[in-house]
Amino acid sequence: MSERFVIALDQGTTSSRAVLIDHNAQMVDFVQRPFTQIYPQPGWVEHNPQEILFSQLGSLTELLARHNLTEKDIAGIGIDNQRETTIVWDPATGQPIANAIVWQCRRTADLVQRLCGDPSVAKMVREKTGLLPDAYFSASKIAWLLDNIDGARERAEAGELLFGTVDTYLIWVLTGGLVHATDPTNASRTMLYNIHEGAWDDELLELFNIPKPMMPEVRPSSGSFGETSYPGVPAGIPICGVAGDQQASLFGQCCFASGQAKNTYGTGCFLLMHTGAEAIDSANQLVTTIAASAPDVGHTEYALEGSVFVGGAVMQWVRDELGLIHTAAESEALAATVPNTGGVYVVPAFTGLGAPWWEADARGTICGITRGTNRAHLVRAALESIAYQVSDLVHAMEADAGRPIDVLNVDGGASANNLLMQFQADILDRELHRPQNIETTALGAAYLAGLSCGFWKNTEELVAMRANDDVFTATMEREQAEELLYGWAKAVKRTIA
Ligand code: ADP
């Protein structure tokens, strides 16, 4: 038999990719198609669902054509997707009733405040969903569409409309309208799913006034979501793995056991720690979410999640607004021309500070500047700010979990920066492991699909394939690290004052 592959449909916030993955978990090739970001008003963000769809299908068919592949060559398709983004469509025509409301969109902030402002309601939401009530999650976005699109509420109540996050919409279209389903990781980001009972929650549906028949069936992340049946796409390929992007990346990092954690250094940073069968309630306002599980696990697994708002994005700022570098990658060589920042700290609280500080009104500062401060010091300080913020997050998560993160698995665009990774290991005093393939999100979707269709036997096989991580170990004197962290904490206080 000729070689077979798994394909990951990596549906992100700015682009859709189809990724071809072989039996050794190597990324053979990928096709990427960007799509339009729509900003109808300040604070609003939309995507055209059909543009998402065609960018995703286009990348898939181009990938297959490029390698002369047919349905016989593909063992299964896995999907990972931007989470929370909300689509409502009419199954009779396949037409969305409006653009998708993207996770970043703030249009429902007032609505969430009105519905969940009462502390007892917020507590109920938190206990059931593991989330802090926010416009970020899908619930209020669905409510907004039903209330603001002509006739939508009546049609939804008559059972004529379906809701889905992007995974669900793609599955529905790809299966020719046969399967209306999502997985628990995506469901856990809607703020309508009881993560302890594993079911859509009637009280929450009522709170947001959302008819239950709109909601997709929730199926295991590694399991059957039907087969492809769409014009132009080879028919009969099983869709058999689904997870939201951050949970997919946790899985792609082979964090299968309680205590294992990963941090993604992208535009923002996302830290997730697997907590096994235990849903840990955070004292630091981190969220509790469902982790993607291998098919043989047999019970729900959870994760703690926290994020840094401005991660790699601080380097974009240094590049585009300050003009100190031409590319983000250049920051490494420039920062290495000085042994340290000379006491300079950049606190990129451009949109406030997240865990563990939670200061929405904080704004960025640069402090410690002297007559000798130069470009390299500033760039280095900006780069180090990513590591300091992650360090704060790691400590908050460790406090919640009541256990240390011994090894931090890293990925994402900025994890390519060796100076940043070494500094991170130094101030955290933890080992960092960076896999050869930092495309862990697509890999996670591929793993989920591959495990359920028998392409790979079990998670041990996946762990065994992971070799030659780059490992970063702390080399800095602890005293020096403590001094730097103390300086960071002082700088953070100045942004809050
Ligand atoms: P996303 O998936 O959020 O779009 P990526 O994982 O592609 O982000 O990472 C891109 C981010 O990482 C950008 O914000 C960029 O400024 C930053 N970045 C990329 N390469 C480097 C580097 N070598 N050093 C520091 N930052 C980097």
Side-chain angles (χ1 to χ4, degrees):
M1 195 179 73
S2 64
E3 187 181 6
R4 297 184 88 213
F5 302 92
V6 170
I7 285 181
L9 301 183
D10 181 22
Q11 205 302 301
T13 305
T14 57
S15 72
S16 302
R17 302 195 311 160
V19 184
L20 190 65
I21 290 160
D22 70 15
H23 198 260
N24 297 320
Q26 295 301 308
M27 187 167 90
V28 179
D29 195 9
F30 70 90
V31 176
Q32 181 163 15
R33 300 230 171 139
F35 52 83
T36 317
Q37 305 295 309
I38 304 167
Y39 304 107
Q41 296 185 27
W44 292 33
V45 191
E46 299 181 353
H47 293 155
N48 178 338
Q50 300 208 297
E51 209 190 328
I52 293 183
L53 176 67
F54 293 127
S55 64
Q56 191 65 79
L57 293 179
S59 61
L60 171 62
T61 50
E62 187 182 330
L63 184 71
L64 293 171
R66 193 186 278 177
H67 295 269
N68 254 327
L69 298 171
T70 70
E71 62 278 4
K72 293 194 185 60
D73 305 307
I74 308 301
I77 289 177
I79 298 177
D80 70 83
N81 57 290
Q82 53 167 318
R83 303 177 301 175
E84 297 107 9
T85 296
T86 296
I87 304 175
V88 173
W89 71 96
D90 179 346
T93 62
Q95 293 295 316
I97 62 165
N99 277 339
I101 304 184
V102 178
W103 58 273
Q104 298 148 321
C105 186
R106 301 303 305 168
R107 81 182 63 176
T108 55
D110 289 346
L111 177 65
V112 172
Q113 180 55 30
R114 201 168 72 239
L115 295 179
C116 307
D118 184 314
S120 66
V121 175
K123 182 163 174 279
M124 180 271 289
V125 170
R126 167 144 207 143
E127 280 171 0
K128 290 185 172 192
T129 67
L131 306 172
L132 304 162
D134 197 279
Y136 192 87
F137 307 109
S138 315
S140 64
K141 299 181 196 289
I142 308 175
W144 191 94
L145 288 171
L146 296 186
D147 287 336
N148 289 276
I149 303 300
D150 253 1
R153 178 157 300 286
E154 296 73 48
R155 289 164 71 197
E157 271 160 13
E160 293 169 10
L161 296 179
L162 300 179
F163 153 74
T165 37
V166 179
D167 55 314
T168 304
Y169 179 64
L170 291 176
I171 293 164
W172 187 86
V173 174
L174 274 169
T175 59
L178 265 186
V179 177
H180 179 227
T182 190
D183 88 302
T185 67
N186 277 295
S188 73
R189 313 298 297 188
T190 59
M191 216 162 81
L192 297 167
Y193 192 70
N194 187 316
I195 62 169
H196 310 286
E197 292 172 4
W200 299 118
D201 188 272
D202 290 328
E203 192 178 2
L204 293 171
L205 288 166
E206 200 173 307
L207 178 67
F208 287 93
N209 201 7
I210 295 168
K212 199 171 191 176
M214 297 183 75
M215 304 306 288
E217 181 190 341
V218 183
R219 301 187 181 184
S221 303
S222 185
S224 174
F225 289 83
E227 294 184 342
T228 51
S229 169
Y230 186 81
V233 175
I237 306 175
I239 302 170
C240 45
V242 175
D245 51 14
Q246 294 309 321
Q247 287 96 332
S249 136
L250 187 68
F251 202 81
Q253 282 274 20
C254 294
C255 294
F256 304 128
S258 182
Q260 294 181 316
K262 70 93 197 179
N263 187 54
T264 299
Y265 296 81
T267 310
C269 296
F270 283 93
L271 176 67
L272 272 80
M273 182 204 259
H274 202 294
T275 60
E278 193 187 355
I280 294 178
D281 193 23
S282 168
N284 289 297
Q285 301 190 52
L286 304 178
V287 304
T288 311
T289 202
I290 296 185
S293 291
D296 55 356
V297 170
H299 61 261
T300 304
E301 295 181 301
Y302 299 91
L304 274 171
E305 172 174 330
S307 55
V308 167
F309 306 143
V310 180
V314 71
M315 301 322 292
Q316 293 169 5
W317 174 73
V318 166
R319 183 191 65 195
D320 302 338
E321 258 54 60
L322 301 188
L324 297 179
I325 45 175
H326 298 291
T327 65
E330 211 180 286
S331 62
E332 182 169 352
L334 184 58
T337 62
V338 286
N340 53 52
T341 69
V344 176
Y345 287 92
V346 171
V347 184
F350 303 151
T351 55
L353 279 173
W357 310 97
W358 295 109
E359 289 286 343
D361 297 328
R363 287 297 174 266
T365 53
I366 304 177
C367 58
I369 300 174
T370 64
R371 179 64 186 81
T373 299
N374 65 27
R375 191 166 74 102
H377 292 119
L378 283 176
V379 168
R380 186 169 180 121
L383 203 52
E384 290 184 357
S385 76
I386 304 173
Y388 284 122
Q389 293 179 92
V390 170
S391 159
D392 287 343
L393 198 53
V394 164
H395 290 127
M397 196 168 280
E398 290 181 333
D400 279 343
R403 64 188 300 172
I405 293 172
D406 298 322
V407 169
L408 185 63
N409 295 282
V410 301
D411 54 54
S415 75
N417 190 311
N418 290 325
L419 186 140
L420 172 61
M421 294 301 103
Q422 184 57 49
F423 187 74
Q424 184 75 83
D426 281 340
I427 56 164
L428 269 179
D429 198 16
R430 305 273 186 289
E431 217 167 79
L432 259 58
H433 286 200
R434 182 177 64 194
Q436 294 303 322
N437 179 2
I438 56 173
E439 298 290 343
T440 57
T441 312
L443 203 55
Y447 283 171
L448 289 165
L451 285 174
S452 84
C453 69
F455 189 66
W456 291 298
K457 279 196 298 291
N458 49 37
T459 50
E460 287 77 34
E461 190 181 352
L462 301 179
V463 172
M465 283 190 300
R466 178 170 168 161
N468 305 324
D469 280 356
D470 292 321
V471 176
F472 297 86
T473 323
T475 54
M476 190 183 279
E477 291 292 331
R478 206 53 218 146
E479 202 174 311
Q480 191 189 344
E482 296 294 347
E483 217 170 278
L484 289 172
L485 285 164
Y486 179 70
W488 166 255
K490 263 196 343 200
V492 166
K493 292 218 170 71
R494 293 193 186 179
T495 72
I496 296 171

